Amino acid sequence: MSGELWKYSDRLDDIDILFAQKDFFSYSQGCDYYGLTEKRIVRMAKESGAIYKIGKMVRIRRDLFEEYLRSQYKKEEEEDV
């Protein structure tokens, strides 16, 4: 959605806008925002190649993770048709 938030402005709240401004997020932030369990966030982040480790700190690159989510959603839609 980078650069295109205005298209969805009627469906966004302050939390969505603040989260979209972040390039990286932690597991706990992802759990809170996406409503998924930590185990599922970890698995999806690994599959998308979005995990970055700095020492003991682990962050997930938001744009790669969301691209993966969109691709998975498209696959599910195609299978339903």
Side-chain angles (χ1 to χ4, degrees):
M1 271 199 298
S2 179
E4 299 181 8
L5 284 177
W6 63 272
K7 291 181 181 179
Y8 309 98
S9 62
D10 60 327
R11 292 181 259 162
L12 298 175
D13 60 8
D14 293 340
I15 294 171
D16 293 324
I17 293 170
L18 289 173
F19 195 78
Q21 292 173 346
K22 295 182 178 191
D23 292 329
F24 295 89
F25 62 91
S26 66
Y27 292 138
S28 62
Q29 291 170 331
C31 292
D32 292 341
Y33 184 74
Y34 293 107
L36 300 171
T37 63
E38 185 171 335
K39 187 174 182 178
R40 181 165 270 185
I41 293 277
V42 170
R43 180 183 57 81
M44 295 172 91
K46 284 181 182 178
E47 289 175 2
S48 66
I51 293 182
Y52 286 78
K53 294 181 180 181
I54 304 168
K56 292 184 178 182
M57 183 175 62
V58 178
R59 292 291 181 256
I60 301 169
R61 193 167 141 191
R62 187 183 55 81
D63 60 339
L64 293 177
F65 186 77
E66 289 184 353
E67 182 180 324
Y68 174 79
L69 290 178
R70 284 191 290 276
S71 71
Q72 294 302 309
Y73 181 73
K74 286 179 184 178
K75 285 181 186 176
E76 288 178 10
E77 281 185 343
E78 291 171 359
E79 290 174 0
D80 291 341
V81 174

